[in-house]
Amino acid sequence: MDTDHLTDIWGRVFGTQPPPSLWLVLVTAALALGAVVPRTAWRLSRNAVTIAHEGGHGLIALLTGRRLDGIRLHSDTSGLTVSRGKPTGLGMVLTAAAGYIAPSLLGLAGAALLAAGHITALLWGATALLLAMLVMIRNAYGVLTVVLAGAAFVLVSWLTTPQVQAVFAYAVVWFLLLGGVRPPFELQGKRRRGGAADSDPDQLARLTHVPAAVWLGLFHVVTLCSLTGGGRWLLGL
């Protein structure tokens, strides 16, 4: 591979690209909303939120020095991340707390990149994260889900025009910001009906002696604030 080609790739990935027009940004927001609000669409699109949720658990487990044994993604949109290490302490608390806020924080980071014009960098970065996650997947459905998600990013990155890439990137980030808000509300409803007795907030309550309702409230605050801040960046406000 010659130097000019490497320079071209470097400039393509780390350079800036013009954002789509405001009306296209609004269209991508509407598309993302259509994937999150209707129950039928959500049953399918929630798989992408689960990837981010379990990926958040796994990433924080590694960053806090825990050993990541594997990640499983299931067809009912649930997931499981298994890590080894000290069963208590800050590392375990951060790992347990990362799941429900991961999609929203990823969306917020993506919105920051898009606001700075780094559309291609976002697409390639997402592909790299999915590839890293694929190594830790331990079931066939999980492999299929992550491969399909990664393939979508690769195909858009290499085979489409900059305008299509921008629309795709904005739609993905809107989806993470909007989709990250719904799971805490779903969990709140399950808890109200007496379900989800071993959810992430319940595990955090046992680890910290802080009520699960407080942790659930924190998830609401993070996801809603991420949507507000990320939405303002995407709209150029």
Side-chain angles (χ1 to χ4, degrees), residues 5-237:
H5 190 53
L6 287 173
T7 302
D8 180 64
I9 293 177
W10 179 271
R12 181 179 176 186
V13 175
F14 295 102
T16 59
Q17 297 81 37
S21 58
L22 179 59
W23 74 269
L24 276 177
V25 175
L26 294 174
V27 167
T28 59
L31 290 173
L33 200 61
V36 171
V37 175
R39 185 181 298 273
T40 302
W42 179 242
R43 288 174 181 171
L44 178 62
S45 64
R46 199 183 194 282
N47 284 283
V49 174
T50 302
I51 291 175
H53 179 115
E54 300 302 331
H57 283 312
L59 177 61
I60 298 303
L62 291 174
L63 292 178
T64 56
R66 299 180 62 80
R67 176 183 173 184
L68 184 59
D69 282 352
I71 298 172
R72 291 178 176 271
L73 306 173
H74 304 133
S75 58
D76 63 354
T77 71
S78 65
L80 176 66
T81 299
V82 179
S83 63
R84 294 185 184 180
K86 188 178 178 182
T88 59
L90 182 61
M92 186 62 200
V93 171
L94 292 176
T95 299
Y100 275 97
I101 61 176
S104 294
L105 292 182
L106 284 173
L108 186 63
L113 283 173
L114 293 181
H118 294 294
I119 296 171
T120 305
L122 182 144
L123 296 175
W124 282 47
T127 304
L129 288 174
L130 288 168
L131 182 60
M133 185 175 179
L134 181 62
V135 177
M136 300 307 302
I137 299 295
R138 295 293 182 264
N139 67 321
Y141 183 82
V143 170
L144 176 63
T145 303
V146 175
V147 167
L148 288 176
F153 279 92
V154 171
L155 291 175
V156 170
S157 299
W158 282 101
L159 301 180
T160 63
T161 64
Q163 186 78 344
V164 173
Q165 292 177 16
V167 170
F168 179 78
Y170 271 78
V172 167
V173 171
W174 274 120
F175 173 76
L176 288 172
L177 291 171
L178 292 165
V181 171
R182 183 163 178 171
F185 282 102
E186 291 179 332
L187 178 59
Q188 185 175 354
K190 290 179 181 178
R191 288 177 54 80
R192 190 180 298 116
R193 295 188 297 270
D198 197 34
S199 65
D200 291 353
D202 293 289
Q203 295 179 36
L204 288 163
R206 291 194 294 270
L207 288 167
T208 63
H209 305 294
V210 175
V214 175
W215 286 104
L216 187 55
L218 176 63
F219 296 164
H220 283 308
V221 170
V222 172
T223 57
L224 290 171
C225 286
S226 296
L227 173 58
T228 302
R232 288 178 61 86
W233 281 337
L234 294 176
L235 295 171
L237 301 179

